[in-house]
């Protein structure tokens, strides 16, 4: 999620980049809400300070009920301001969550056909080549057909040596980053919506990625990055803990609806996979 301060300072850029990504976001409306919200918040803070000062002073020196009346009026004013803020806050947060990230100017716009080859490595061998899916199926290591039978399209069974290879790669990666100073972690595979959105994984428009648990505030993680990001949420991190470098192995669950182009054949854009983050 973009910082509102960045949006204030780069309103035209954010609006243009949002439009290029196919999102119709009313940036001016967002800024109006932001301005109104800050005004009400300032008044709330001022009223709260006055109320606190009054509470410390106690009743009016002459023993009259004047002090009580002042305190009562300040409380009523604070309640009204908080009631006024609530709908503004709700609309502001909803609109802010719809603003997509700003991408670099050299990012190609469009679909797969607009991808640009940056560089190549090595030299392709002449003759017939097989993609990883064809090779793995021929050797009995991947089974998408049975995966679809029990769970749906883009689910799969991994078998035999490919399982051992994946587990070896996961262990190798954890050891590699551990030697670079990263602390190994096992994370929750489900997180609440606050953690999900705080890590920037809220879906926008028709972009469905996260699987949600019905009737509960829980979501299957799309990456270990989400619970790792939430690890210190709401805490003040002691300086002797910084920098805090963590790595985690976890399964990742992604809805990724409709991503079935020619470049996504096989173990690409699947609904479940393992990785180290």
């Amino acid at each position: 999620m973009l910082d509102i301060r960045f949006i204030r300072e780069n309103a035209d850029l954010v609006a243009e980049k949002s439009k290029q990504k196919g999102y119709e976001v009313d940036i001016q409306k967002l800024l109006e809400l932001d301005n109104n919200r800050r005004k009400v918040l300032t008044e709330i803070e001022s009223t709260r300070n006055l109320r606190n000062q009054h509470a410390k002073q106690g009743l009016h020196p002459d023993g009259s009920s004047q002090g009580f009346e002042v305190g009562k009026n300040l409380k009523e004013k604070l309640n009204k301001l908080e009631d006024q803020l609530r709908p503004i806050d709700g609309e502001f947060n909803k609109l802010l969550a719809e603003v997509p990230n700003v991408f670099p100017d050299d990012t190609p716009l469009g679909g797969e056909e607009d991808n640009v080859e940056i560089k190549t490595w090595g030299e392709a061998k002449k003759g017939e080549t097989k993609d990883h899916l064809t090779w793995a199926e021929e050797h009995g290591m991947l089974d998408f057909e049975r995966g679809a039978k029990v769970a749906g399209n883009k689910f799969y069974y991994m078998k035999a040596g490919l399982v051992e290879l994946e587990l070896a790669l996961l262990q190798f990666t954890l050891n590699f980053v551990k030697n670079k100073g990263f602390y190994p972690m096992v994370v929750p595979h489900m997180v609440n919506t606050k953690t999900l959105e705080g890590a920037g994984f809220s879906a926008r428009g028709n972009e469905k990625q996260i699987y949600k648990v019905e009737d509960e505030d829980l979501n299957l993680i799309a990456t270990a990055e989400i619970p790792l990001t939430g690890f210190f949420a709401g805490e003040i991190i002691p300086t002797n803990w910084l920098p805090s470098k963590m790595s985690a192995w976890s399964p990742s669950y992604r809805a990724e609806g409709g991503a079935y182009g020619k470049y996504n054949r096989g173990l690409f854009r699947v609904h479940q996979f393992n990785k180290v983050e």
Side-chain angles (χ1 to χ4, degrees):
M1 183 181 294
L2 290 179
D3 192 310
I4 186 60
R5 289 171 294 183
F6 178 85
I7 299 175
R8 288 182 207 136
E9 297 167 4
N10 303 274
D12 292 340
L13 173 68
V14 173
E16 179 61 24
K17 293 295 185 181
S18 299
K19 187 176 180 181
Q20 289 176 354
K21 292 185 81 171
Y23 298 105
E24 293 295 332
V25 182
D26 193 340
I27 300 299
Q28 289 307 313
K29 176 66 174 177
L30 175 63
L31 295 177
E32 288 174 14
L33 289 167
D34 174 50
N35 189 48
N36 293 338
R37 179 174 175 270
R38 284 189 288 163
K39 285 179 180 178
V40 178
L41 282 171
T42 300
E43 200 168 350
I44 286 175
E45 190 62 32
S46 176
T47 304
R48 190 172 284 139
N49 287 336
L50 285 173
R51 189 183 176 207
N52 290 340
Q53 290 172 17
H54 176 74
K56 289 178 182 178
Q57 293 170 356
L59 293 176
H60 196 267
D62 63 7
S64 71
S65 62
Q66 182 178 346
F68 175 78
E69 288 299 324
V70 171
K72 179 182 177 183
N73 291 338
L74 286 171
K75 182 179 179 180
E76 289 177 353
K77 181 180 180 182
L78 186 60
N79 288 338
K80 287 180 181 178
L81 287 169
E82 289 174 343
D83 288 342
Q84 182 182 343
L85 176 65
R86 204 166 289 113
I88 297 174
D89 229 8
E91 192 175 358
F92 168 81
N93 289 324
K94 181 178 181 297
L95 199 54
L96 181 62
E98 293 175 359
V99 181
N101 287 331
V102 172
F103 57 88
D105 291 332
D106 61 354
T107 302
L109 299 176
E112 292 178 351
E113 67 281 0
D114 298 295
N115 288 342
V116 177
E117 184 179 278
I118 304 299
K119 66 178 180 179
T120 59
W121 183 86
E123 189 173 338
K125 295 181 180 179
K126 295 181 179 179
E128 183 181 351
T129 59
K130 297 178 181 178
D131 62 37
H132 73 279
L133 178 60
T134 301
W135 185 92
E137 287 180 334
E138 287 178 355
H139 288 78
M141 295 183 181
L142 277 178
D143 194 329
F144 273 86
E145 186 175 340
R146 288 187 172 90
K149 177 178 68 175
V150 301
N153 194 29
K154 299 300 282 187
F155 286 96
Y156 58 94
Y157 284 94
M158 185 182 290
K159 302 182 288 182
L162 202 55
V163 176
E164 298 175 82
L165 176 61
E166 177 175 8
L167 292 174
L169 283 171
L170 291 170
Q171 187 62 58
F172 169 81
T173 306
L174 281 171
N175 287 335
F176 182 84
V177 296
K178 180 182 177 182
N179 291 332
K180 298 290 184 180
F182 285 81
Y183 188 78
M185 305 269 281
V186 171
V187 298
H189 297 173
M190 292 184 284
V191 297
N192 56 38
T193 302
K194 181 179 180 181
T195 301
L196 181 76
E197 293 180 346
F201 278 83
S202 53
R204 298 176 177 86
N206 296 322
E207 180 185 299
K208 184 183 178 184
Q209 185 181 73
I210 301 296
Y211 286 109
K212 177 156 179 46
V213 179
E214 188 175 0
D215 298 327
E216 291 194 54
D217 184 25
L218 286 173
N219 306 270
L220 288 170
I221 61 172
T223 167
E225 179 185 347
I226 299 172
L228 283 178
T229 302
F231 186 75
F232 287 119
E235 301 179 31
I236 297 175
I237 307 174
T239 54
N240 62 322
W241 288 14
L242 299 173
S244 185
K245 300 195 291 185
M246 301 174 287
S247 64
W249 166 88
S250 80
S252 299
Y253 306 95
R254 302 192 181 186
E256 306 261 43
Y260 308 121
K262 64 179 180 178
Y263 297 111
N264 299 317
R265 171 177 158 81
L267 289 173
F268 294 107
R269 311 286 280 191
V270 290
H271 295 306
Q272 177 184 333
F273 56 94
N274 301 309
K275 72 183 177 76
V276 175
E277 182 69 43

